[in-house]
């Protein structure tokens, strides 16, 4: 049976079934006049008079047409409202599901296909399901009823018309295979195009200045042409199977018509019956050959559904119950190892982050500092070892709890096309306007916000495009302040800002750090001399740990890093 995806919305909607029932009843009612016509012709033949008065016949025909119309309208309404509802709910459930996936899913490579499924595939699916299910069901019901009428009007001619149908049915799985193949190829190419487009939009800033832009655009253009070609193929590839089906069905009609004509000439068949049967047989062949088209469309929908299902099947990060109390959090990592793909990124890391302490993660680029910071808030799951909050494995807490305990200020601040206030409120959606303003003041953001055209109600451009790097940083600090989480993970800004901006950011961060457990990914060692502990990472291992003075005296990796930075600094001054 074909997967219709009725379960994806999380609940079954009776409207879908009643809608299909009404649509089929409408289709059957439409076929009734054909039966009436045969009945009338029969009566004329046998008794020389119609079976009912003309008025009665007209009334019956009218009732059938009006009935069919009403049933179809009701069926259509139920079907449309239920399927749009179904698709809407499914999309929301999918978004909720995606939120719980480990971050590994969001590698660039997956972004394109996820975006394609959420947008393109969903639209295609919606379009096909709203239109084709009803048609498929109605077009199965219709030929069945007409076939029965045919057998009743003349079983020998009916049998001839039906003779090639079993053979024709074999073409249906063939058409399905062709549809699958075409749909998969078109999808793969569309996905590659979306990947390119996403990459392009992300890199647009760098591409703008470069010759590379032209090259990139040519690649996009070529890929879009490929998509176009594959879409054409997707339309045409199933054609042989569909044509074969139609040809076989019409062969049945030809047999029936030929034999009928022969018997007519032989005097074994009445003229009226010949015409009645031919009319019904033609109708039968026509409706049946349309069915295969609708089936191919439904198969296409089912294929898109498989891709939507594949996203649903992507395993979410497991969650536990929630025994964590509010209050201070003792964060620790135990013998932690982690690899993004095959290459080990972190190995055997042990560390404790006592309540209220400041820990700096330092080390050469690529040593795993950011990765460790991400693991602390469970953006990914560790491969071995544990991250614990008050002794509880973060995997045994709900994702929401872990999220609520950690505030972050990263370099690549993400801002949404919302008002400034809404952007800050992401930290705590229920916060009042006064809380928002207080956080903004503490984050030294209030003054520049007041200079924006509508103050806190100014809607930001895409990702806050109109703001400076420093302003974006301060908005994200205000967001973190409002969140008021006991743990703060901080990525020290490396982007150069002017000294005034720098001092504002430092003040804001100083206020944010107060009273929290802070883990900072540090790049400039002189900013973290006062840290309670410094973890020096190299090649994914903690190679040294301790406070600044002790590490400088130890004469190891940290001392080397320190001296290099001091030399550079003096040189720059
Ligand atoms: P650091 O912050 O010390 O510069 P990272 O933690 O960012 O180091 O990176 C450590 C290693 O993991 C690097 O080799 C980097 O290429 C790799 N890496 C970082 N992020 C990803 C990712 N999302 N997917 C795959 N590999 C990654």
């Amino acid at each position: 049976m074909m997967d219709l995806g009725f379960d994806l919305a999380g609940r079954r909607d009776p409207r879908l079934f009643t809608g299909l029932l009404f649509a089929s009843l409408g289709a059957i009612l439409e076929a009734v006049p054909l039966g009436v016509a045969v009945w009338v012709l029969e009566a004329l033949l046998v008794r020389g008079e119609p079976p009912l008065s003309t008025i009665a016949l007209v009334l019956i025909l009218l009732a059938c047409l009006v009935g069919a119309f009403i049933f179809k309208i009701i069926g259509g309404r139920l079907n449309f409202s239920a399927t749009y509802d179904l698709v809407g709910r499914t999309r929301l459930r999918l978004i909720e599901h995606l939120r719980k996936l480990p971050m590994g899913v969001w590698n660039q490579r997956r972004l394109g296909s996820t975006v394609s499924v959420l947008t393109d595939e969903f639209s295609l699916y919606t379009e096909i399901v709203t239109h084709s299910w009803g048609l498929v069901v109605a077009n199965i019901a219709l030929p069945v009823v007409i076939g029965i009428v045919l057998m009743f009007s003349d079983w020998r001619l009916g049998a001839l018309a039906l003779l090639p149908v079993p053979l024709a049915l074999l073409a249906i799985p063939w058409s399905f295979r062709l549809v699958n193949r075409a749909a998969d190829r078109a999808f793969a190419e569309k996905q590659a195009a979306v990947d390119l487009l996403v990459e392009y939009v992300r890199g647009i800033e760098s591409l703008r200045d470069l010759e590379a832009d032209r090259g990139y655009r040519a690649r996009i253009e070529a890929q879009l042409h490929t998509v176009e070609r594959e879409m054409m193929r997707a339309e045409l590839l199933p054609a042989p199977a569909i044509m074969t089906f139609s040809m076989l069905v019409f062969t049945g009609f030809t047999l029936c018509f030929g034999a009928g004509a022969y018997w007519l000439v032989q005097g074994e068949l009445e003229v009226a019956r010949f015409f009645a049967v031919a009319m019904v047989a033609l109708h039968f062949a026509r409706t049946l050959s349309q069915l295969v088209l609708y089936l191919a469309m439904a198969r296409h929908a089912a294929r898109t559904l498989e891709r939507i299902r594949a996203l649903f099947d992507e395993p979410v990060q497991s969650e536990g119950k929630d025994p964590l109390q509010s209050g201070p959090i003792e964060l620790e990592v135990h013998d932690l190892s982690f690899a993004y793909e095959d290459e080990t990124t972190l190995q055997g890391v042990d560390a404790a982050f006592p309540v209220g302490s400041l820990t700096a993660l330092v080390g050469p680029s690529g040593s795993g500092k950011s990765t460790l910071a991400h693991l602390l808030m469970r953006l990914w799951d560790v491969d071995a070892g544990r991250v614990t909050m008050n002794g509880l494995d973060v995997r045994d807490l709900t994702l929401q709890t872990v999220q609520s305990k950690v505030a972050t200020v990263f370099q690549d601040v993400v801002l949404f096309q919302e008002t400034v206030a809404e952007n800050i409120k992401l930290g705590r959606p229920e916060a009042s306007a006064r809380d928002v303003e207080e956080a903004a003041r503490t984050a030294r953001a209030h003054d520049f916000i007041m200079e924006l055209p509508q103050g806190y109600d100014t809607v930001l451009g895409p990702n806050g495009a109109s703001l400076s790097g420093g302003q974006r940083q301060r908005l994200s600090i205000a967001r973190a302040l409002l969140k008021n989480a006991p743990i703060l993970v901080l990525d020290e800004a490396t982007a150069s800002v002017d000294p005034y901006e720098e001092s504002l950011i430092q003040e804001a961060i100083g206020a944010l750090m107060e009273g929290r457990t802070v883990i900072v990914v540090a790049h400039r060692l002189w900013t973290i001399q006062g840290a309670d502990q410094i973890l020096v990472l190299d090649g994914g291992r903690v190679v040294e740990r301790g406070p600044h003075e002790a590490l400088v005296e130890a004469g190891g990796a940290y001392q080397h890093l320190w001296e290099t930075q001091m030399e550079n600094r003096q040189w720059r001054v």
Side-chain angles (χ1 to χ4, degrees):
M1 227 355 238
M2 206 179 291
D3 180 9
L4 301 180
F6 284 179
D7 58 316
L8 280 180
R11 66 183 179 93
R12 296 201 174 257
D13 190 335
R15 286 178 301 174
L16 284 166
F17 297 100
T18 6
L20 291 179
L21 186 69
F22 273 100
S24 342
L25 285 177
I28 291 169
L29 271 185
E30 250 182 0
V32 169
L34 205 64
V36 174
V38 174
W39 183 40
V40 171
L41 278 173
E42 286 280 339
L44 283 173
L45 261 167
V46 178
R47 287 182 279 136
E49 60 180 52
L52 290 173
S53 71
T54 315
I55 297 236
L57 282 175
V58 168
L59 282 179
I60 289 178
L61 292 184
L62 217 65
C64 286
L65 288 181
V66 172
F69 181 73
I70 292 173
F71 277 150
K72 281 189 159 182
I73 294 245
I74 296 176
R77 277 189 73 99
L78 286 169
N79 202 16
F80 277 125
S81 55
T83 40
Y84 281 122
D85 198 36
L86 169 88
V87 175
R89 277 172 196 279
T90 305
R91 207 182 233 146
L92 286 178
R93 279 189 74 216
L94 191 54
I95 289 170
E96 177 60 19
H97 178 82
L98 295 179
R99 197 176 66 79
K100 294 183 176 174
L101 295 183
M103 288 298 112
V105 174
W106 301 112
N107 274 349
Q108 178 81 6
R109 169 170 62 83
R110 308 297 304 274
L111 195 60
S113 66
T114 313
V115 171
S116 309
V117 170
L118 273 175
T119 54
D120 224 24
E121 295 287 293
F122 247 98
S123 312
L124 187 65
Y125 174 66
T126 316
E127 200 168 302
I128 308 178
V129 296
T130 46
H131 293 95
S132 64
W133 285 342
L135 289 173
V136 167
V137 175
N139 278 277
I140 290 176
L142 199 55
V144 168
V145 173
I146 299 177
I148 293 170
V149 172
L150 189 61
M151 289 305 285
F152 272 105
S153 33
D154 186 311
W155 72 267
R156 290 171 311 165
L157 290 177
L160 280 173
L162 293 177
L163 195 62
V165 171
L167 203 59
L169 292 181
L170 290 180
I172 291 178
W174 176 27
S175 78
F176 283 1
R177 274 199 302 279
L178 293 176
V179 167
N180 283 352
R181 197 180 333 147
D184 289 350
R185 289 176 59 143
F187 176 72
E189 296 302 342
K190 272 196 285 184
Q191 186 181 324
V194 177
D195 273 336
L196 276 177
L197 289 170
V198 168
E199 211 174 87
Y200 181 79
V201 174
R202 280 186 156 185
I204 212 156
E205 236 169 88
S206 349
L207 285 170
R208 262 162 73 138
D209 305 335
L210 301 173
E211 240 340 73
D213 183 42
R214 215 178 310 152
Y216 214 95
R217 280 220 303 268
R219 269 178 65 196
I220 292 178
E221 197 177 333
Q223 186 58 36
L224 290 177
H225 276 306
T226 315
V227 171
E228 205 178 303
R229 214 176 41 239
E230 285 307 324
M231 296 296 286
M232 284 291 291
R233 273 178 61 97
E235 299 278 350
L236 296 178
L237 200 67
I242 292 173
M243 301 292 280
T244 307
F245 182 90
S246 292
M247 254 170 49
L248 284 169
V249 166
F250 274 97
T251 306
F253 167 71
T254 314
L255 285 177
C256 162
F257 190 85
Y262 177 74
W263 285 325
L264 182 71
V265 172
Q266 297 291 311
E268 290 174 28
L269 191 69
E270 301 289 341
V271 180
R273 174 164 297 182
F274 171 67
F275 278 113
V277 171
M279 184 172 67
V280 178
L282 182 63
H283 210 63
F284 174 75
R286 228 192 250 148
T287 48
L288 198 58
S289 68
Q290 258 176 0
L291 171 67
V292 73
L293 265 181
Y294 297 131
L295 275 175
M297 267 163 66
R299 180 61 235 167
H300 205 101
R303 200 62 172 171
T304 57
L305 197 64
E306 281 167 27
R307 283 187 280 272
I308 294 171
R309 274 197 198 284
L311 262 190
F312 270 114
D313 290 343
E314 199 90 57
V316 294
Q317 287 182 305
S318 65
E319 286 184 284
K321 289 265 186 312
D322 216 355
L324 203 60
Q325 306 291 321
S326 60
I329 298 288
E330 198 77 52
L331 183 68
E332 285 173 18
V333 300
H334 303 275
D335 199 15
L336 174 153
S337 294
F338 176 76
Y340 283 105
E341 260 134 44
D342 300 332
E343 213 170 314
T344 307
T345 306
L346 289 172
Q347 207 168 6
V349 176
D350 276 298
F353 308 90
V355 174
S357 66
L358 168 60
T359 302
L361 307 179
V362 306
S365 171
S367 56
K369 304 182 292 291
S370 312
T371 305
L372 180 56
H374 287 155
L375 291 176
L376 293 179
M377 52 189 156
R378 210 188 165 197
L379 288 187
W380 311 73
D381 275 329
V382 298
D383 297 328
R386 310 189 307 144
V387 176
T388 61
M389 287 184 174
N390 292 351
L392 298 166
D393 194 312
V394 288
R395 286 169 293 195
D396 294 334
L397 305 171
T398 63
L399 287 171
Q400 204 185 349
T401 303
V402 177
Q403 258 170 25
S404 72
K405 301 296 179 199
V406 186
T408 56
V409 176
F410 288 149
Q411 282 193 55
D412 42 353
V413 179
V414 177
L415 296 172
F416 294 90
Q417 287 188 57
E418 286 277 358
T419 63
V420 172
E422 287 298 330
N423 265 290
I424 297 177
K425 266 167 64 170
L426 274 185
R428 180 153 45 98
E430 72 282 2
S432 69
R434 189 188 295 180
D435 294 337
V436 171
E437 187 181 320
E438 198 185 310
R441 278 185 194 275
T442 316
R444 311 294 186 266
H446 178 74
D447 290 346
F448 91 77
I449 294 173
M450 292 316 286
E451 283 167 21
L452 296 173
Q454 274 100 39
Y456 284 86
D457 297 326
T458 311
V459 176
L460 296 177
N463 203 13
S466 52
L467 302 178
S468 76
Q471 289 171 335
R472 298 155 58 88
Q473 280 280 336
R474 282 180 279 149
L475 280 189
S476 79
I477 294 170
R479 190 188 276 172
L481 272 163
L482 200 60
K483 186 169 180 181
N484 200 16
I487 299 167
L488 171 66
V489 175
L490 202 64
D491 194 352
E492 188 188 54
T494 45
S496 54
V497 288
D498 64 61
Y500 176 65
E501 183 73 69
E502 171 92 34
S503 72
L504 285 179
I505 294 176
Q506 285 310 328
E507 278 174 35
I509 285 182
L512 177 60
M513 284 164 57
E514 223 159 89
R516 295 179 218 281
T517 309
V518 182
I519 294 107
V520 53
V521 174
H523 304 283
R524 292 167 299 185
L525 301 186
W526 61 91
T527 61
I528 46 110
Q529 290 176 63
D532 298 302
Q533 62 170 343
I534 297 169
L535 301 184
V536 186
L537 282 111
D538 197 4
R541 290 174 181 280
V542 178
V543 291
E544 281 181 311
R545 67 179 77 212
H548 173 78
E549 301 299 339
L551 288 178
V552 172
E553 271 170 34
Y558 183 81
Q559 191 218 18
H560 182 69
L561 276 175
W562 173 252
E563 281 178 355
T564 319
Q565 286 207 352
M566 289 329 275
E567 269 169 34
N568 282 345
R569 199 173 179 209
Q570 276 159 12
W571 183 79
R572 252 187 290 154
V573 169

